[in-house]
Amino acid sequence: MAVRKRGKSWIIDYRVNGKRYTRAVGPNKRDAIAAEGKIKAQIREGRFFECKRIKETTVGERINRYLDHFLGKGRRDARRVPRRRRSLR
């Protein structure tokens, strides 16, 4: 873990489970050191959950979501999409 200054702001840099995190804390070095200590304690206690959980979806759901986005753009090629889409549902 590291506390350093980037421009006018202090940042903390740390790794959890092989993933690197960098967080800007503010213009005060004491706040950065305190935030670093708090994160160290969370990691030690196993309460650090910075990562967002990804909702599991099927391939068909992903394709339908993509096609909804594609059709919403009003593209010229969108006329052909509903024909292919019927087989997915």
Side-chain angles (χ1 to χ4, degrees), residues 30-31 38 58 60 62-63 67 78-80 84 88:
R30 281 189 202 170
D31 292 341
K38 186 183 282 189
T58 63
R62 292 275 180 165
I63 291 171
L67 291 174
R79 287 175 283 162
R80 293 181 288 166
R84 288 186 230 137
L88 296 175

Side-chain angles (χ1 to χ4, degrees), residues 4 6 11-14 20-24 50:
R4 58 179 174 235
R6 182 188 294 165
I11 62 166
I12 52 176
D13 189 20
Y14 52 96
R20 182 179 179 184
Y21 296 91
T22 304
R23 181 184 296 172
E50 184 80 18

Side-chain angles (χ1 to χ4, degrees), residues 1-88:
M1 296 185 82
V3 175
R4 58 179 174 235
K5 193 168 187 176
R6 182 188 294 165
K8 294 181 180 182
S9 182
W10 286 89
I11 62 166
I12 52 176
D13 189 20
Y14 52 96
R15 290 182 185 266
V16 179
N17 297 328
K19 187 170 180 182
R20 182 179 179 184
Y21 296 91
T22 304
R23 181 184 296 172
V25 178
N28 192 343
K29 185 176 181 179
R30 281 189 202 170
D31 292 341
I33 292 172
E36 179 191 29
K38 186 183 282 189
I39 289 174
K40 276 185 183 179
Q42 288 177 350
I43 292 169
R44 250 182 278 135
E45 296 169 1
R47 294 184 301 122
F48 182 79
F49 300 107
E50 184 80 18
C51 302
K52 294 180 181 176
R53 296 189 184 239
I54 298 172
K55 179 184 170 191
E56 293 184 21
T57 58
T58 63
V59 175
E61 290 171 347
R62 292 275 180 165
I63 291 171
N64 286 330
R65 203 164 136 201
Y66 170 77
L67 291 174
D68 288 339
H69 175 74
F70 182 75
L71 291 172
K73 296 260 183 196
R75 301 222 175 149
R76 190 175 63 195
D77 296 337
R79 287 175 283 162
R80 293 181 288 166
V81 174
R83 208 172 351 150
R84 288 186 230 137
R85 190 171 188 178
R86 285 186 210 126
S87 64
L88 296 175

